[in-house]
Amino acid sequence: MTPYFDPYNADRPLMLKCSCGKDHTVAEHQQEMSAASATAELKRRSLTSEFEAYSNAFIEATLVKALFPQDEVRRRFLRAVGKGTAMAAIGSVLPMASLQAMAQDKNALEKTKLKIGFIPITCATPLIMAHPLGFYSKQGLDVAVTKTAGWALIRDKMINKEYDATHFLSPMPLAISMGLGSNPTPMNVATIQNVNGQAITLALKHKNNRDPKNWTGFKFAVPFEYSMHNFLLRYYLAEAGINPDTDVQIRVVPPAEMVANLKAGNLDGFLGPDPFNQRAVYEEAGFIHVLTKDLWNGHPCCAFGSSTEFIQKNPNTFAALYRAVLTAAAMARQPGNRELIAKVIAPAQYLNQPEAVLTQVLTGKFADGLGKIQNVPDRADFDPIPWQSMAVWMLTQMQRWGYVKGEVNYKQIAEKVFLLTDAKKRMKELDQKVPEGAYPKFKIMGKEFDADKAAAYAKSFAISKAA
């Protein structure tokens, strides 16, 4: 039997497709075989005692980091009370029993059959790869990961309770909770799915027009209004003196349609999620103008979350989901796994992308469309901590561009939506010393953002739509 057809086999029908007998192309067959082999190897790695120890330590460290975002505060706390007392104190205030319970224990699950939505982009890597690698089933969960056409549909299915949890754009739970673009429905961010991993991609005709000051009249696409893509594109343009509401057009286009629109000349560029920036290069439709990590290194993009109601009614199920996704994030953070992960998530039921495109995105060794090979290992990463200051920055941009009117109680909203802040509240209730932080400072295009000065920051911009 050749890899292509098997015309002399009396036991198989002769189809001018794949000789394995399945109704798919040879390329799809090879991709499936590659994915199966990669999945088997990653499963093997996930079952080693070394990875189990690493994964549990990663989950525990992630939760401690969420409580003590400023490392000096964590060290002072440990020196003051000692390791044993610190572990007991922290364990007593986390929403789901203790760090070790969160990492390892399996309590009775309230619900086992779950539906989780995702958009087919690399941002969803931990949520997706947890499925074929068996991380959900290991937690006793029967999860259907469901490819979804667009972000508005994700929002609607969460509000209508058709999905139990989902891949969100990180500003979406804030917007949904506040009733922006929908009826207000309390949502929570459990983990950030990815940091970095986006880019501004321009049509090839603009290779010699790299200065954004010259982009008046351009047509851009972003995947959704309440997205880091929209906020970062607006920020970038405004820093160059371009008013994103009057000097250019910004339209919402599903990620999967961005490259085709770029090719057709309907767009001059887009700030979109990968793999579509790299796909534009692959299709010779565009070039990568700038990675978003060069605007804000470590910025959040997508998140994993659920409704507040689901979490309250199903705390053990949610804890199991949390463990599965964080275990996947731990594996995705290890550079040595990235090429295999590209194979696992490439097939049609997940991202439906060429493996070569995904490998370039996940490893950070990529063609930029300008004739160069770039090596940027942290082009995309999977740091799961949902810093509240990230949420506050998003709120300042919603206010800046007129999505939110009037005064905003930034921290109150951030702490309702971005999880793990309940720990601080419970520490107060127990008269325990509340760790400082959860609001680390960030730099966006060289300008420091301090969540304690959010109102002044929101009003500090020369170009703005805020009243």
Side-chain angles (χ1 to χ4, degrees), residues 41-60:
E41 173 56 20
L42 287 173
K43 275 185 176 178
R44 186 195 67 76
R45 292 182 188 183
S46 76
L47 294 173
T48 62
S49 57
E50 181 183 6
F51 177 76
E52 186 173 357
Y54 168 79
S55 176
N56 288 339
F58 174 80
I59 293 171
E60 188 164 355

Side-chain angles (χ1 to χ4, degrees), residues 71 319 366:
D71 203 54
F366 62 94

